[in-house]
Amino acid sequence: MLCFFGLTLKELEDVIGGTGKERYRARQLYRWVYNKGVYDFSMMDNIPKGLRTLFRDMLDMETIKPLEPTASMDGSVKLSFMTKDDNIIESVLIPEKNRLTLCVSSQIGCRMACSFCVTGKIGFIRNLETHEIVEQIIGAKKYLNVSPINGGDRITNIVFMGMGEPMDNFENVVRTIEIMKEPLGLDFSRRRITVSTVGLIGGLKRLQPGTAGLAISLNAADEQKRTEIMPINRMYPIRDILDFVRHYKGSPRERITFEYVLLKDFNDSLEDARMLYELLKGIRCKINLIPFNESLYSQFRTPDKKTVDQFHAYLIDKCMTAIVRNSRGPDVNAACGQLGMAYLLSKKAML
Ligand code: SAH
C-alpha cells in the first residue's frame, strides 16, 4: 500500500492518473485531508463511492500510531508515536504568545553524537520516511482538534528541532517541506518553517535558497571547543559554516539563526560571549541562546540565571540580535535534546 502522507500533490496525481482515473481527484483528496481534516474516505462526498473504496484500499492513512500525549506544566505537549518497526517518534507542541509551534523529528536517534545531547547518546537508528514526518503534523492537528492549547488549534510554525539531523535525511526532509508548503494542502509559507542543523554544508548547499528558514547549531565560538562537544566540527568547522552563511542568498530580509547552547563553565563566560560576537559581527543573523537542559545522561550543567543574563546582555550591548530561549517541557522530557530517550536507549542496548 502507498502512504498518502508521503506523496506530493504531483505524485498523487501521477498515482491516480496511473490507475486510469481523473488526475484532479488528487486535488480533491488533498483538500479533504489537509484542509478539512477529513481522513475517512467514506465521508468524501464529492468523490464517487467506487473511487472512495479504491482510494481506501490503495492509500494508507496512518502508519505511525499515536501514544498517550504528555502535557507539561508550562503548556507544551509532547506527542509520541509508535512506528511499524517499534520505534518511538516524538514531537512537541509549543504554545507561545502569538504562535503555536510544532517541533518535529526527522530521524530516530542521530548520527552526530554531540556530547551534550541525549539523542546523540542513542546513536543512529534510522531515517524517518517523509510520511512519518508529515504524520507528526497530522497527529498534532488531530490532537489540537480535541484539545486546543490556550484556545489555539492551529499550528502556526514548524521547526525541525526534534530528534535527528534534518540535513542527514536530506531527500525526505525536502519532500516533507514540499508537502507542507502545498497551497492546496497544509499551505505553510517558508517563513513558518525552520530547519535546524549542525551545519552539514553539503546538504545546506543542495537546499534551494528560500526553501525554509535556517538555524545552525553553533554552540561554541572556537574551533577546538566546538570539536570537543560536536565531533562533526572536524568535517565542517566553524570557518566553513561562516563562509557558507556569508554567501548564502536566501530571500531578502531573511536572517540565519545561530543556536548556542549554554553549558555551565564550558562556553558561558563573558570571554565566550566576546568570541561569539567577534565571530558573528557583520553577519546578518539572530542568536538563540539556549540554557542547557540537564539530564541523567550528560555531565553538563545549566548555567545559573545570572550567567545567562550576563552573556545575553553582552551581545545586546554589542547590538547583536540575541534572545534567550528557555526550553519548554523539561518536566515531561520534551525539552531540546531530551526526546526519545529512555525507550530508545534501552532498545538500542538490546540491538
Ligand atoms: N540536529 C539538529 C536539530 C536537533 S537539536 C541541530 O543540531 O540543530 C535542536 C537544538 O537543541 C540544537 O541547537 C541543539 O544544540 C540543542 N540541544 C540539544 N541538546 C540540548 C540540551 N540538552 N539542552 C539544550 N539544548 C540542546
Side-chain angles (χ1 to χ4, degrees):
M1 224 164 59
L2 282 167
C3 300
F4 177 85
F5 294 109
L7 299 170
T8 62
L9 179 58
K10 165 88 177 44
E11 287 166 343
L12 186 61
E13 284 174 345
D14 291 346
V15 166
I16 294 176
T19 66
K21 309 291 178 197
E22 306 95 339
R23 293 172 65 86
Y24 73 83
R25 299 291 180 196
R27 291 168 179 269
Q28 290 179 315
L29 283 181
Y30 246 64
R31 277 208 198 91
W32 277 113
V33 171
Y34 288 118
N35 270 347
K36 304 198 176 121
V38 171
Y39 307 99
D40 178 353
F41 292 108
S42 67
M43 291 171 67
M44 303 180 182
D45 57 15
N46 58 354
I47 298 176
K49 281 224 170 77
L51 257 189
R52 291 185 224 168
T53 316
L54 176 79
F55 291 151
R56 190 198 60 207
D57 295 340
M58 192 168 85
L59 298 166
D60 194 345
M61 297 297 280
E62 190 177 272
T63 65
I64 59 175
K65 266 203 148 8
L67 304 172
E68 199 55 42
T70 28
S72 158
M73 309 265 290
D74 66 17
S76 53
V77 176
K78 180 165 79 171
L79 304 172
S80 309
F81 307 88
M82 184 65 82
T83 63
K84 287 200 166 154
D85 59 351
D86 286 339
N87 280 300
I88 286 189
I89 305 178
E90 291 182 337
S91 329
V92 191
L93 275 165
I94 307 167
E96 290 167 293
K97 205 156 156 251
N98 297 315
R99 289 181 180 193
L100 180 50
T101 300
L102 179 69
C103 172
V104 296
S105 295
S106 57
Q107 295 180 318
I108 299 172
C110 183
R111 243 193 276 268
M112 300 301 127
C114 302
S115 64
F116 53 87
C117 173
V118 189
T119 309
K121 300 270 185 281
I122 299 170
F124 180 68
I125 299 183
R126 69 168 173 85
N127 278 331
L128 289 183
E129 299 295 336
T130 302
H131 59 86
E132 291 172 320
I133 311 177
V134 176
E135 279 186 61
Q136 295 172 58
I137 307 172
I138 301 302
K141 281 176 55 135
K142 287 181 182 170
Y143 172 85
L144 289 170
N145 264 345
V146 182
S147 331
I149 303 181
N150 306 336
D153 62 358
R154 218 176 59 92
I155 300 166
T156 61
N157 295 66
I158 307 251
V159 296
F160 285 84
M161 292 186 191
M163 255 195 293
E165 167 49 50
M167 287 296 98
D168 188 34
N169 185 10
F170 187 85
E171 255 95 39
N172 291 340
V173 165
V174 168
R175 285 164 55 79
T176 301
I177 294 175
E178 190 182 331
I179 293 173
M180 284 173 8
K181 290 207 261 193
E182 171 54 52
L184 279 181
L186 291 168
D187 196 20
F188 278 96
S189 79
R190 66 177 153 69
R191 270 172 291 125
R192 298 191 174 273
I193 306 171
T194 303
V195 172
S196 175
T197 171
V198 294
L200 297 189
I201 294 168
L204 285 172
K205 283 189 172 155
R206 274 172 74 196
L207 201 64
Q208 204 77 350
T211 300
L214 291 184
I216 299 181
S217 299
L218 200 56
N219 297 338
D222 140 316
E223 301 283 7
Q224 198 193 332
K225 263 192 192 182
R226 190 168 191 263
T227 303
E228 231 175 283
I229 51 172
M230 300 179 71
I232 192 67
N233 197 58
R234 289 203 184 88
M235 197 185 290
Y236 297 116
I238 298 176
R239 60 174 178 279
D240 291 3
I241 293 177
L242 293 189
D243 192 52
F244 167 80
V245 169
R246 287 203 182 87
H247 294 101
Y248 181 69
K249 299 248 176 326
S251 45
R253 300 207 335 231
E254 183 178 334
R255 283 198 277 179
I256 287 186
T257 299
F258 287 103
E259 291 154 290
Y260 190 100
V261 180
L262 286 161
L263 303 163
K264 184 180 167 74
D265 298 332
F266 180 79
N267 64 0
D268 62 344
S269 70
L270 280 179
E271 174 58 13
D272 291 304
R274 190 190 63 76
M275 286 199 302
L276 185 60
Y277 162 67
E278 291 295 333
L279 200 65
L280 299 183
K281 71 178 176 197
I283 298 181
R284 273 168 44 82
C285 65
K286 291 184 275 191
I287 304 170
N288 278 358
L289 300 171
I290 318 173
F292 178 65
N293 293 300
E294 296 185 3
S295 80
L296 285 176
Y297 306 93
S298 166
Q299 78 283 17
F300 285 111
R301 292 290 159 253
T302 314
D304 50 45
K305 188 171 176 312
K306 193 165 150 246
T307 311
V308 173
D309 289 345
Q310 274 177 358
F311 196 105
H312 184 211
Y314 180 91
L315 295 173
I316 297 292
D317 190 50
K318 296 284 186 195
C319 296
M320 305 296 279
T321 309
I323 54 167
V324 178
R325 279 237 159 234
N326 282 304
S327 287
R328 305 286 294 272
D331 53 333
V332 294
N333 286 336
C336 296
Q338 294 188 327
L339 297 183
M341 274 315 304
Y343 175 84
L344 289 176
L345 268 175
S346 61
K347 180 177 162 113
K348 188 74 191 217
M350 287 185 302
L351 287 180

